[in-house]
Amino acid sequence: MNLSLLILIPLITSFALLFCKGLKQVRVVSFTGALVQLALAFILLALYWQERTAGNTAIMLFESNYRWFSALNINYHIGVDGISIAMILLTAFVMIAGILISWTTESMAKEFFFLLVFLSVGAYGFFISLDLFTLFFFLEISVIPKFLMIGIWGSGKKEYSAMKLALMLMGGSVLVFVGLMGLYFNTDTGNGSHTFDLLQIAQMNIAVEIQRMFFPFLFIGFGIFTALFPFHTWVPDGHSSAPTAASMFLAGISMKLGGYGCLRVATFLMPEAAHEYSWIIILLATIAIVYGAFATLMQKDLKYINAYSSVSHCGFVLLGIGMLTQGSITGAVMQMVSHGLMTALFFAAIGMIYTRTHTRMVEQLGGLMKAMPFISTVFVIAGLCSLGLPGTSGFVAEMTIFMGSWQNTNTMYRVATILACASILITTVYILRAVGLVIMGPIKNADHNGLADGTWNEKFAAGILIIGIVAIGIAPFWLNELLGPGTQTIIKHIEKAIAI
Amino acid sequence: MWNDILALLKQELIVTFIILILLTIKVGATEWKTDNILKLANLLLLINFMAGFVMNSEGTLFNDMFHTDRLITLEKNMLSLATLIISLQSYDWLKTHKHILEFYVLMLSTLLGMFFMISSGNLLIFYLGLELSTIPLAAIANFDLGKRQSSEAAFKLIISSAFSSGLLLFGISLVYGTTGSLSFEIIRQQLDGSSLQLYAFILLLSGFAFKISVVPFHLWTADVYEGAPVAVTSYLSVVSKGAIFFVFVPVLYTVFKSLAAHWYLMLFLLSILTMLIGNLFAIRQNNLKRLLAFSSISQVGFILVGISGSSTAGSASVIYFILIYIFSNLGAFGVVSLISALTGKETIEDYKGLYSTNPLLSWVLTISLFSLAGIPPTAGFFGKFFLLMAGAGHGNYELVIIAALNMVIALYYYLRVVKAIFMDSNEHPIEKLKISILPKLAMLACAGAIIITGFAGWIYDHISSLSTGF
């Protein structure tokens, strides 16, 4: 299968959107595009299984490689392994849900859907890139649509949030850029030229001093995208001010770009440095987990609750990566997928509540279960997944991370693991409190009595995300098998490097 | 001999010929209609641009005083293209003017001067070209005859140019005194890094720095850019700066190669200062022309990072960046110039809510600004990436880190404009403008080029293969 299709379909969709007239046409076109993309993601998954069961053990499948700037040895090189496919599936799920949630966008619908679909181009491209230049290109491509979406369709202090998000993400990008430069000029393909090719660099042994110097740039750069403490401050503002679909995309996909980059680029290409610096990563991740959880306790705005809990949950991803065991890294990727689905569902539910009640403040809401049972149920499911109830993806992912982390026998690392485990308790507190105050009890505001429940598009959107959450929660083995070869490659690479 | 002159001086002769045609029309008995003159001028400029691609030859003339090769031809074509775009963009502004022919004659004389400057193999012809390219520019900076600001700009331009020419001349005379020649080739061989030569080099560098408005020689820039008509401003910031860079790079890389250790350090400091000061001042600007002026100062800082790479990559990335800069900056200036010509509004406040009335202009301006900021998928991303990459190739990561952080600062003030256009509401936004077909065409061409250039990898490869001489 030609992987470029994954980029081409959203591109064609967004181009077609430019010629659409009226909301009806716009949403039909973008929905069709997202549906085709979802089908394509499943076809990719099937083909991948087929190849793997046929005994194909290549690191990356369906590779294709085209010259882009031959003078600088920059190629458009794409390929996927299990990890990328999991992320692609996640993106396809969130995109379709995001489009359905924005079904009734009134103002500037064409521009909104154009930017939303264009955002996904960056994500798909990022996950299939095997050339660091291409990867960086797709990483940065989303700055414009994010800025415009938050600034135009957002709520609250949207301009401030949009600017903060754009500048902080740009800051992350430039750090990544410096790291990439350091990598590039210390590679040697044999004939004196340098390379950006991920697989080629992995085979070279980058000198340890170089790794020490440039690993922080790459890790912090990507870390900013995934809310690495203390660079997480864009997350609460950005997520809360964004329109629902953009929040879903930001928290569900955009933050995963960072985690994926930390794993695939920083850790995979500079294993020695990752090992040396792992204590800092774990320290920061643990702070993010605990601090994020405590900060969530204090929030009164539903979107802020979810945003701060995202900081805490993405801390688990970084913790898993920092522990450098197979289990923890598998868990980190699972957590990325799980958190992507869960947080998208959460934002979707909050968006549905907000469009009806026009408030997101916990104290102004109450007893919603009586007025809108479907939306409340969705809210509860998202909450339970967030606190890691067995049967949801959250449990599987966090459990895998903890078990993997415990394999790292360093005492301090085990303390960090215990702390991270304990934070689930706080998660339970804030989730149950939010659920209790918003969903249960008597209806606080009499106006909320006659509000309509979810429409078909909202049910569809929530349903598709819930299917994903439950599918991982009940049958985690398929995801484990999908990620297996990819994480094994990374782990073997790290172990080989550390052993030397 | 004559065949050589015809072949090698082809581009200069075409420009001269166009000037003659326009002058003939001016002195002719029949009074031409404004519209026809504009159409003819644009057509001639188009022919000039297209002719740059056929029957090109390489070689030297007049005892190595004048030389041309494929790279130089390409650079001249880029300048011709920029001139054409500016001419198309100023259509609506020029239509209201009486002295159109003079405008074109003066603009083309400066273009001719730049052509000679780029092709120069000798300090004498270089200086000749430089002066030919500056003095008429001061005359067209004064083209809004009714406006006092315009003449003020012209005065500032001519005085600062004269001053920088003085510095250059002093440097040139010292170079002549220590090496005994004005020919680039002989100077290159004779340079031994004595302190007098170093002094001469610093004077030359300062002269150059004035022309490309490197901090601390930038003080004239903002006032001149603000006062002059927008067409002239874009010409100043794109064409004349580009031309100076086209000479500056080979002169540094070949003629002053033996002083590389010295100029490398100077470029290091100058580029940091230029980026930082340009960016910090741009943040405070409310007038879009002034904002673009300071942004263009900081862009120069980035170009200096690329030059400090000093290799094929350095030269190629600078030329590639200037190509992209032509599209990005002219895209931005094109919109500003149209709005300024039709409504007279120039501040960021005036641009609030522009999207609700003029979506096309808004998108072109936004794409151009993002390209200037270096955000993909616009071409500016590739330009900046390769510039900094050339800088990093020299092992100079401090400079690259500073430059990269400056990109974040730069993004802030570009986003301020985008925010005003898309997000701020305004009771009286700029009304829906009726734009003639030619400026629209030029703007769309710029926007299209911004989107396409980066993906066409062969453009960079082509430039890179041409600049292997360094």
Side-chain angles (χ1 to χ4, degrees):
Chain A
M1 169 177 172
N2 193 341
L3 289 175
S4 295
L5 275 178
L6 284 172
I7 306 174
L8 274 178
I9 285 178
L11 265 184
I12 293 169
T13 315
S14 54
F15 192 67
L17 280 172
L18 293 179
F19 299 98
C20 286
K21 286 208 167 63
L23 178 61
K24 260 193 189 140
Q25 278 185 25
V26 166
R27 60 196 188 189
V28 166
V29 168
S30 27
F31 184 63
T32 318
L35 216 54
V36 172
Q37 189 78 346
L38 186 69
L40 208 61
F42 274 112
I43 293 171
L44 179 65
L45 181 69
L47 287 173
Y48 175 83
W49 284 127
Q50 209 178 5
E51 286 281 314
R52 282 288 187 227
T53 43
N56 190 340
T57 54
I59 299 178
M60 293 289 167
L61 299 180
F62 314 117
E63 273 185 68
S64 43
N65 202 344
Y66 306 96
R67 297 304 258 168
W68 194 353
F69 296 94
S70 40
L72 298 166
N73 204 9
I74 288 171
N75 299 320
Y76 170 71
H77 185 188
I78 50 176
V80 287
D81 65 355
I83 303 178
S84 339
I85 291 180
M87 306 313 287
I88 289 165
L89 272 171
L90 167 70
T91 314
F93 267 85
V94 174
M95 271 312 289
I96 210 163
I99 285 169
L100 283 168
I101 281 290
S102 331
W103 206 244
T104 48
T105 305
E106 295 278 317
S107 71
M108 299 204 270
K110 188 156 98 175
E111 287 85 346
F112 182 85
F113 281 96
F114 172 77
L115 291 172
L116 186 63
V117 176
F118 194 75
L119 256 179
S120 74
V121 176
Y124 288 118
F126 183 84
F127 291 131
I128 60 174
S129 298
L130 291 181
D131 186 274
L132 294 176
F133 181 85
T134 326
L135 185 122
F136 184 66
F137 174 80
F138 284 118
L139 178 72
E140 268 210 68
I141 209 172
S142 54
V143 174
I144 311 177
K146 276 178 199 159
F147 176 76
L148 290 178
M149 282 183 88
I150 297 178
I152 299 176
W153 292 276
S155 56
K157 40 177 185 173
K158 52 185 186 168
E159 284 101 358
Y160 166 79
S161 306
M163 191 67 97
K164 187 169 179 180
L165 175 130
L167 293 180
M168 284 196 73
L169 293 189
M170 184 71 178
S173 299
V174 300
L175 291 181
V176 171
F177 169 77
V178 175
L180 291 187
M181 288 295 103
L183 260 182
Y184 176 80
F185 284 107
N186 288 293
T187 57
D188 183 12
T189 52
N191 52 7
S193 67
H194 307 295
T195 181
F196 272 123
D197 193 294
L198 198 112
L199 297 179
Q200 279 185 40
I201 298 177
Q203 311 235 310
M204 297 167 192
N205 289 317
I206 307 288
V208 181
E209 308 83 69
I210 302 295
Q211 293 194 17
R212 273 192 206 119
M213 197 157 121
F214 291 106
F215 179 83
F217 283 103
L218 278 177
F219 200 91
I220 296 174
F222 282 120
I224 292 178
F225 280 81
T226 189
L228 172 74
F229 182 85
F231 306 104
H232 63 280
T233 48
W234 64 272
V235 176
D237 290 323
H239 289 186
S240 319
S241 306
T244 306
S247 299
M248 289 165 70
F249 191 91
L250 273 174
I253 315 295
S254 261
M255 287 175 83
K256 308 304 170 290
L257 300 186
Y260 183 87
C262 282
L263 182 65
R264 175 85 86 206
V265 182
T267 311
F268 184 51
L269 297 183
M270 305 194 185
E272 283 107 328
H275 182 62
E276 279 181 27
Y277 287 121
S278 65
W279 66 275
I280 304 183
I281 300 172
I282 287 169
L283 183 71
L284 292 179
T286 315
I287 295 177
I289 291 170
V290 178
Y291 160 82
F294 273 109
T296 317
L297 273 181
M298 303 301 297
Q299 301 308 318
K300 295 188 175 69
D301 182 323
L302 281 177
K303 268 197 162 181
Y304 271 95
I305 290 184
N306 196 23
Y308 270 107
S309 88
S310 288
V311 174
S312 173
H313 282 113
C314 282
F316 284 115
V317 176
L318 292 173
L319 184 82
I321 295 172
M323 289 290 179
L324 296 176
T325 66
Q326 163 135 31
S328 70
I329 286 181
T330 312
V333 181
M334 280 183 171
Q335 172 76 351
M336 284 200 256
V337 179
S338 153
H339 178 254
L341 292 169
M342 179 272 288
T343 201
L345 185 65
F346 221 140
F347 274 124
I350 296 169
M352 291 181 224
I353 294 175
Y354 181 69
T355 47
R356 287 169 175 77
T357 62
H358 304 291
T359 178
R360 295 190 309 243
M361 289 304 172
V362 174
E363 71 259 30
Q364 291 172 10
L365 295 164
L368 292 187
M369 187 60 107
K370 296 188 182 69
M372 26 187 158
F374 176 79
I375 296 173
S376 304
T377 317
V378 171
F379 189 82
V380 174
I381 293 175
L384 294 182
C385 181
S386 175
L387 60 80
L389 192 80
T392 62
S393 59
F395 172 75
V396 176
E398 285 172 13
M399 202 60 198
T400 319
I401 293 180
F402 296 143
M403 287 188 343
S405 303
W406 197 257
Q407 283 162 7
N408 198 326
T409 48
N410 186 314
T411 320
M412 288 321 287
Y413 290 9
R414 287 197 161 168
V415 172
T417 311
I418 294 170
L419 276 174
C421 271
S423 81
I424 291 191
L425 197 67
I426 312 167
T427 313
T428 317
V429 173
Y430 64 71
I431 291 290
L432 290 184
R433 203 186 52 158
V435 167
L437 287 172
V438 174
I439 306 293
M440 311 296 176
I443 292 186
K444 246 187 216 160
N445 190 335
D447 298 343
H448 293 174
N449 257 323
L451 291 175
D453 203 4
T455 51
W456 71 269
N457 53 303
E458 288 169 338
K459 285 182 178 162
F460 195 157
I464 201 165
L465 292 172
I466 293 175
I467 288 174
I469 289 175
V470 176
I472 299 172
I474 293 181
F477 51 84
W478 68 268
L479 184 61
N480 193 22
E481 252 171 71
L482 177 67
L483 302 177
T487 47
Q488 260 163 24
T489 314
I490 295 176
I491 276 299
K492 269 190 203 140
H493 189 68
I494 294 169
E495 277 169 357
K496 203 176 84 193
I498 297 170
I500 301 166
Chain B
M1 177 65 189
W2 285 108
N3 275 341
D4 262 4
I5 289 182
L6 272 182
L8 295 177
L9 282 175
K10 181 195 77 186
Q11 283 167 301
E12 287 76 8
L13 288 175
I14 291 174
V15 175
T16 318
F17 192 63
I18 295 176
I19 295 176
L20 282 179
I21 292 176
L22 295 175
L23 279 178
T24 319
I25 294 172
K26 181 74 194 170
V27 295
T30 43
E31 190 80 10
W32 282 51
K33 268 205 281 180
T34 318
D35 208 41
N36 291 343
I37 298 177
L38 278 171
K39 279 187 183 132
L40 177 72
N42 282 320
L43 182 69
L44 289 173
L45 283 174
L46 182 68
I47 293 171
N48 171 41
F49 170 59
M50 306 239 269
F53 289 96
V54 288
M55 303 209 300
N56 289 319
S57 43
E58 307 179 40
T60 57
L61 275 179
F62 319 128
N63 282 335
D64 287 354
M65 273 190 148
F66 181 97
H67 70 101
T68 183
D69 56 30
R70 288 170 64 203
L71 184 64
I72 288 175
T73 312
L74 177 79
E75 291 168 347
K76 287 178 185 169
N77 286 341
M78 280 161 61
L79 297 183
S80 305
L81 174 65
T83 314
L84 171 65
I85 295 176
I86 292 172
S87 155
L88 288 174
Q89 283 173 343
S90 352
Y91 182 84
D92 279 333
W93 171 67
L94 282 173
K95 230 171 29 182
T96 60
H97 240 281
K98 270 195 307 202
H99 310 283
I100 307 170
L101 279 168
E102 286 89 332
F103 179 82
Y104 276 105
V105 169
L106 288 168
M107 189 162 83
L108 284 169
S109 332
T110 66
L111 190 68
L112 186 63
M114 288 167 200
F115 280 4
F116 274 112
M117 187 170 75
I118 297 174
S119 278
S120 59
N122 186 302
L123 281 172
L124 207 58
I125 203 157
F126 160 72
Y127 184 73
L128 192 74
L130 184 71
E131 288 305 291
L132 182 55
S133 72
T134 345
I135 295 171
L137 214 50
I140 44 175
N142 191 15
F143 219 63
D144 271 341
L145 292 170
K147 282 191 193 159
R148 266 184 59 194
Q149 267 195 327
S150 186
S151 14
E152 185 191 325
F155 237 88
K156 278 182 177 152
L157 182 63
I158 195 79
I159 288 174
S160 64
S161 296
F163 185 61
S164 67
S165 298
L167 287 176
L168 266 176
L169 272 182
F170 194 9
I172 290 173
S173 62
L174 284 178
V175 168
Y176 182 69
T178 53
T179 61
S181 171
L182 287 172
S183 150
F184 284 169
E185 186 54 31
I186 298 172
I187 295 172
R188 188 177 67 81
Q189 290 159 5
Q190 296 288 325
L191 275 186
D192 50 14
S194 69
S195 42
L196 196 56
Q197 281 174 359
L198 213 56
Y199 182 49
F201 172 72
I202 291 173
L203 286 171
L204 277 176
L205 185 69
S206 316
F208 273 115
F210 249 111
K211 304 275 181 200
I212 51 181
S213 56
V214 169
V215 176
F217 307 100
H218 68 289
L219 294 163
W220 58 278
T221 317
D223 292 343
V224 172
Y225 281 21
E226 190 188 3
V230 189
V232 182
T233 307
S234 44
Y235 192 81
L236 264 171
S237 80
V238 175
V239 184
S240 85
K241 253 185 204 173
I244 305 259
F245 272 114
F246 291 150
V247 204
F248 187 49
V249 173
V251 164
L252 269 185
Y253 283 4
T254 56
V255 180
F256 291 102
K257 195 174 185 149
S258 54
L259 301 179
H262 298 287
W263 61 249
Y264 180 72
L265 201 66
M266 296 176 202
L267 282 190
F268 184 93
L269 290 172
L270 287 178
S271 68
I272 291 177
L273 269 178
T274 310
M275 284 185 288
L276 208 62
I277 303 274
N279 274 338
L280 292 181
F281 276 75
I283 289 178
R284 316 258 318 150
Q285 302 309 320
N286 276 324
N287 182 302
L288 236 91
K289 275 157 86 179
R290 278 186 89 86
L291 185 133
L292 285 173
F294 281 107
S295 111
S296 82
I297 291 176
S298 89
Q299 303 281 352
V300 167
F302 284 101
I303 298 179
L304 292 183
V305 176
I307 294 179
S308 77
S310 77
S311 58
T312 306
S315 156
S317 65
V318 170
I319 295 166
Y320 184 66
F321 183 82
I322 289 173
L323 174 69
I324 288 165
Y325 182 67
I326 287 175
F327 297 130
S328 327
N329 224 15
L330 288 187
F333 268 122
V335 176
V336 175
S337 121
L338 264 173
I339 292 179
S340 157
L342 295 175
T343 67
K345 293 179 173 174
E346 284 176 1
T347 67
I348 293 184
E349 274 75 44
D350 297 330
Y351 277 69
K352 281 183 180 172
L354 182 69
Y355 185 68
S356 56
T357 48
N358 295 289
L360 179 73
L361 287 181
S362 307
W363 276 118
V364 173
L365 184 56
T366 307
I367 292 174
S368 312
L369 290 178
F370 276 119
S371 183
L372 287 171
I375 305 275
T378 59
F381 167 76
F382 299 91
K384 283 258 168 76
F385 196 100
F386 296 148
L387 270 185
L388 300 195
M389 199 161 152
H394 211 260
N396 194 350
Y397 296 108
E398 302 91 338
L399 188 57
V400 173
I401 292 170
I402 295 171
L405 292 177
N406 265 295
M407 284 178 70
V408 183
I409 307 179
L411 183 65
Y412 171 71
Y413 56 80
Y414 294 125
L415 285 185
R416 264 183 73 208
V417 183
V418 177
K419 175 176 155 281
I421 293 173
F422 282 94
M423 297 162 202
D424 292 340
S425 53
N426 191 347
E427 303 229 327
H428 306 287
I430 293 169
E431 67 274 24
K432 188 153 179 49
L433 299 176
K434 241 183 85 59
I435 308 159
S436 321
I437 181 84
L438 287 179
K440 207 180 235 174
L441 204 69
M443 277 190 320
L444 288 178
C446 281
I450 288 172
I451 290 169
I452 292 167
T453 312
F455 294 102
W458 58 269
I459 296 178
Y460 182 83
D461 290 343
H462 180 65
I463 294 174
S464 178
S465 72
L466 292 183
S467 33
T468 45
F470 302 116

